């Protein structure tokens, strides 16, 4: 298991630079590199990112969106969370409608998209085979979230996408001493918890194609989550 660095990042920019340079998980690094080398036919002329994917958004964010991991031909291709894949195509129009995004499309790092009051992060920073990181790989990435949370002092709401992301964030809360036990903290779409430190923890089904194409998660359901987050932070202006 990789050890967390002894020196903590002093800024989100520095933290992202360290994430991009991370080599802690040989299996993930080999997989991302190979995907970037071979490329999918529709993206054969695209220069894949192929590195750990940094977080993205507004450093003064009051809302954190916390997902699972980059997609092999989405974030691993574009280098930005939820950019260039079906999940992002579903999520960013909702963020735009809720007033968090400057535009409804997220296609590349150079498309001009700006986020306001929201920061997007993930449990694992490299695309995993089959979208399934191992428990060890999740542990290797955990310290990035610990550092990130210390650098986001204005956070009021955390929206976790999917059960794995939710469980990873609850594990952070236990490590940080915010919770002494996870008793009563269970994942469900629309679940909301007020934590002892004042944060609101919210859960939603992940906007994966498997969920959105089957109607498990609809645009209306997803929008309600982010409008609720909007309402919570607006009360705390």
């Amino acid at each position: 298991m990789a050890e967390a660095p002894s020196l903590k990042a002093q800024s989100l920019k520095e933290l992202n630079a360290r994430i991009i340079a991370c080599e802690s998980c040989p299996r993930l690094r080999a997989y991302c590199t190979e995907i970037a080398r071979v490329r999918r036919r529709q993206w054969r002329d695209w220069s894949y990112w192929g590195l750990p994917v940094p977080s993205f958004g507004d450093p003064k964010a009051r809302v954190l969106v916390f997902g699972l991991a980059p997609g092999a031909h989405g974030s691993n291709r574009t280098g930005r969370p939820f950019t260039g894949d079906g999940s992002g195509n579903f999520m960013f129009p909702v963020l735009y409608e809720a007033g968090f995004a400057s535009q409804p499309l997220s296609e590349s790092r150079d498309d001009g998209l700006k986020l306001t009051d929201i920061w997007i992060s993930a449990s694992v920073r490299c695309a995993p085979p089959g979208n399934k990181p191992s428990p060890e790989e999740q542990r290797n990435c955990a310290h990035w979230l610990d550092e990130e949370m210390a650098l986001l002092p204005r956070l009021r709401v955390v929206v976790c996408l999917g059960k794995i992301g939710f469980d990873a964030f609850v594990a952070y809360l236990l490590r940080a001493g915010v919770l002494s036990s996870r008793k009563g903290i269970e994942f469900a779409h629309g679940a909301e918890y007020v934590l002892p430190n004042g944060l609101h923890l919210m859960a939603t089904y992940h906007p994966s194609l498997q969920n959105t194409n089957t109607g498990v998660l609809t645009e209306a359901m997803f929008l309600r989550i982010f409008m609720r987050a909007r309402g919570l932070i607006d009360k705390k202006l």
Side-chain angles (χ1 to χ4, degrees), residues 35-50 72-80 83-85 106-111:
I35 290 291
R37 183 188 70 83
V38 175
R39 301 190 297 275
R40 182 170 281 176
R41 174 177 290 182
Q42 73 188 98
W43 307 115
R44 61 175 176 259
D45 295 327
W46 191 284
S47 294
Y48 273 54
W49 173 257
H73 299 281
S75 299
N76 187 56
R77 173 173 60 86
T78 63
R80 195 169 73 188
T83 296
D85 63 17
S106 181
E107 299 174 335
S108 78
R109 297 192 308 281
D110 303 316
D111 62 10

Side-chain angles (χ1 to χ4, degrees), residues 61-73:
R62 290 177 293 170
V63 178
L64 172 67
V65 175
F66 192 68
L68 169 57
H73 299 281

Side-chain angles (χ1 to χ4, degrees), residues 95-118:
L95 295 185
Y96 175 73
E97 187 167 350
F100 292 111
S102 63
Q103 60 192 45
L105 298 177
S106 181
E107 299 174 335
S108 78
R109 297 192 308 281
D110 303 316
D111 62 10
L113 172 66
K114 303 293 183 185
L115 299 182
T116 301
D117 235 341
I118 207 162

Side-chain angles (χ1 to χ4, degrees), residues 143-187:
H143 68 92
W144 298 127
L145 176 60
D146 297 354
E147 292 190 58
E148 196 165 44
M149 289 297 292
L151 295 168
L152 292 166
R154 299 186 76 236
L155 280 186
R156 296 293 179 267
V157 179
V158 178
V159 178
C160 293
L161 309 180
K163 187 177 187 303
I164 295 178
F166 181 84
D167 288 344
F169 195 84
V170 172
Y172 155 75
L173 295 171
L174 292 169
R175 286 195 306 275
V178 177
L179 294 177
S180 59
S181 166
R182 72 164 295 164
K183 184 178 180 181
I185 308 292
E186 301 295 339
F187 175 82

